[in-house]
Amino acid sequence: MNSVAFYLLLLLLTSAATSTTATTIGVTYTTSTSSPLSPDKLAAKVVSMNIPSIRLLDSNPTLIRAFAYTNVSLFLSVPNPLVPLLASNRSLAMRWCYRHVLPFYPRAKISTISVGNDVVSYSPDVSPFLLRAMQNVHLSLADLRIYKISVSTTFSFFNIVPTAFPPSSAQFQEPNGEVIIRPILQFLERTNSSFLVNLFPYNMYRSSFSIPVGFALFEEGPFNFRDDLTTGVRYRNLFDMMVDAVISAMAVMGHENLPVVVAETGWPSSGIDGGEVDATLLYSEMYLKGLLGHLRSGGGTPLRREGVAEVYVFELVERDDDGKRGVRNWGLLHRNLSSKYGFEFSGCGGGGGNGRRFAEFLVVVMVCLLM
């Protein structure tokens, strides 16, 4: 084998091994109000499960401190009631950063701050304050010479994208699209931040009788697909279809290249009442297995080959009120931190499976040619 051929093969091997971007797969966690877990115990459990990232829905400083030196990436959240205060008073935004970021960073790997969570739905009167609050948090971090923490806000798919099919025709719901989302997209573009969205295929499946449950659960089957006739793309799972609807809606506003982070996703293991017959432990496990397998494959979505940047499973530990009448049951773990499912969440750092397998094939080819 001559040197030129060897060089070309080595170049192909390198590009194949790095061409597929891995999706970071994390979890969300909400502190229990009645019987909170020890922060150190929680951090130790996350580390033992090899979970690379956790979203702390209530960014308690003691929790943040517990993850120092663990190499677990932290996704912090600013509660909705604080958004108008941070928007109106820059010093309060600085004070929040002083309390939740400065004492721990970079020993704790804080990567993202979401200013508010689904504000458009839960606190619509707070929505006009979102952008200013985000700007004040971003400027406060810059004043502290902290430049690598992304500042964004989290939207709920169902409250911003009224029609998900076909994905190529999706647009943000008005008037929030122009008034709230467009300026935020511009901010995210300027600051190299990501678009954060809570995305639950379970909700869309329940809202449409035409969606087969297998399509929502990543199952292969003769009817588990949907064709976007505009683009000619075939969707084989509901998750990809919803992600591409978000990407299309951003493209309409000229921001199709923004990274997308799925801040919450999951499937409940029990429903609010007996009418939710598909909220079962079996379907919950099937969704999670299908999701993790799909993300680890590194295939991305039809409109974005690199897929989403991060995905957070809702949620790590079931809460005290989970399973009670009128409340859906979530959680990978029971309150005693034992697993609810028959599979391991370990090794969920990401995809790239196809790229790695191709790279391994090329190694074999190269060895054969060199013999």
Side-chain angles (χ1 to χ4, degrees):
M1 183 178 187
N2 61 46
S3 59
V4 174
F6 175 80
Y7 173 77
L8 291 174
L9 187 57
L10 186 61
L11 182 63
L12 182 60
L13 172 64
T14 303
S15 63
T18 59
S19 61
T20 306
T21 303
T23 297
T24 298
I25 309 171
V27 294
T28 70
Y29 176 74
T30 305
T31 304
S32 167
T33 53
S34 60
S35 55
L37 294 171
S38 158
D40 291 335
K41 186 176 182 180
L42 174 71
K45 183 65 177 178
V46 170
V47 171
S48 72
M49 293 175 70
N50 296 322
I51 297 175
S53 189
I54 186 168
R55 181 186 182 197
L56 302 177
L57 286 163
D58 47 351
S59 302
N60 190 313
T62 58
L63 271 179
I64 301 171
R65 182 182 293 109
F67 283 95
Y69 304 109
T70 62
N71 208 36
V72 175
S73 180
L74 302 183
F75 175 156
L76 307 184
S77 299
V78 175
N80 290 349
L82 286 184
V83 171
L85 299 176
L86 302 189
S88 60
N89 193 326
R90 171 81 180 280
S91 64
L92 289 179
M94 178 65 80
R95 191 178 304 174
W96 191 92
C97 294
Y98 261 111
R99 185 165 187 260
H100 296 85
V101 178
L102 189 62
F104 316 110
Y105 183 84
R107 297 183 300 279
K109 289 181 58 179
I110 301 169
S111 63
T112 306
I113 296 173
S114 174
V115 179
N117 179 39
D118 193 13
V119 168
V120 171
S121 172
Y122 288 108
S123 310
D125 54 322
V126 173
S127 298
F129 299 97
L130 266 176
L131 180 59
R132 175 57 64 185
M134 293 164 62
Q135 291 170 333
N136 283 346
V137 171
H138 177 74
L139 291 172
S140 297
L141 291 173
D143 288 344
L144 296 171
R145 299 185 182 278
I146 297 173
Y147 305 108
K148 294 184 178 181
I149 296 178
S150 172
V151 177
S152 188
T153 188
T154 305
F155 294 98
S156 173
F157 180 91
F158 265 82
N159 295 316
I160 60 171
V161 182
T163 305
F165 190 82
S168 59
S169 300
Q171 297 187 39
F172 292 123
Q173 189 164 12
E174 299 298 349
N176 288 328
E178 282 296 330
V179 177
I180 304 296
I181 299 177
R182 183 184 288 277
I184 286 177
L185 290 174
Q186 294 168 348
F187 168 84
L188 299 178
E189 193 84 62
R190 288 196 306 270
T191 59
N192 295 315
S193 299
S194 301
F195 188 83
L196 314 179
V197 60
N198 298 334
L199 190 150
F200 289 89
Y202 173 76
N203 293 336
M204 176 159 286
Y205 161 72
R206 291 192 70 231
S207 70
S208 175
F209 292 110
S210 66
I211 298 176
V213 67
F215 184 59
L217 296 174
F218 297 91
E219 281 197 305
E220 294 289 338
F223 303 107
N224 295 337
F225 67 87
R226 288 291 183 273
D227 290 331
D228 187 330
L229 299 180
T230 303
T231 58
V233 166
R234 172 160 290 185
Y235 287 89
R236 298 194 177 276
N237 65 77
L238 188 52
F239 179 87
D240 281 356
M241 196 177 84
M242 295 170 73
V243 168
D244 277 1
V246 172
I247 292 170
S248 294
M250 293 195 304
V252 170
M253 294 190 166
H255 299 279
E256 64 274 12
N257 294 321
L258 273 178
V260 174
V261 170
V262 176
E264 291 179 13
T265 191
W267 193 283
S269 54
S270 69
I272 293 175
D273 53 44
E276 292 191 57
V277 295
D278 296 304
T280 67
L281 189 65
L282 173 62
Y283 281 177
S284 179
E285 182 172 348
M286 289 174 65
Y287 177 78
L288 292 172
K289 280 184 175 178
L291 174 70
L292 298 183
H294 177 59
L295 295 175
R296 288 170 181 161
S297 74
T301 72
L303 294 187
R304 184 170 288 184
R305 297 304 301 167
E306 69 271 25
V308 292
E310 302 168 31
V311 172
Y312 292 82
V313 173
F314 185 84
E315 58 187 328
L316 178 62
V317 184
E318 63 183 15
R319 304 185 216 177
D320 306 75
D321 55 0
D322 281 358
K324 294 181 180 179
R325 186 173 180 82
V327 179
R328 290 193 179 109
N329 194 4
W330 308 86
L332 290 168
L333 307 175
H334 295 293
R335 292 296 302 169
N336 63 3
L337 299 187
S338 63
S339 178
K340 291 170 63 175
Y341 303 101
F343 71 94
E344 294 294 327
F345 198 74
S346 302
C348 54
N354 292 337
R356 281 194 297 272
R357 282 190 288 273
F358 185 51
E360 290 164 0
F361 169 75
L362 286 179
V363 169
V364 174
V365 173
M366 186 168 68
V367 170
C368 292
L369 290 173
L370 289 174
M371 290 178 64

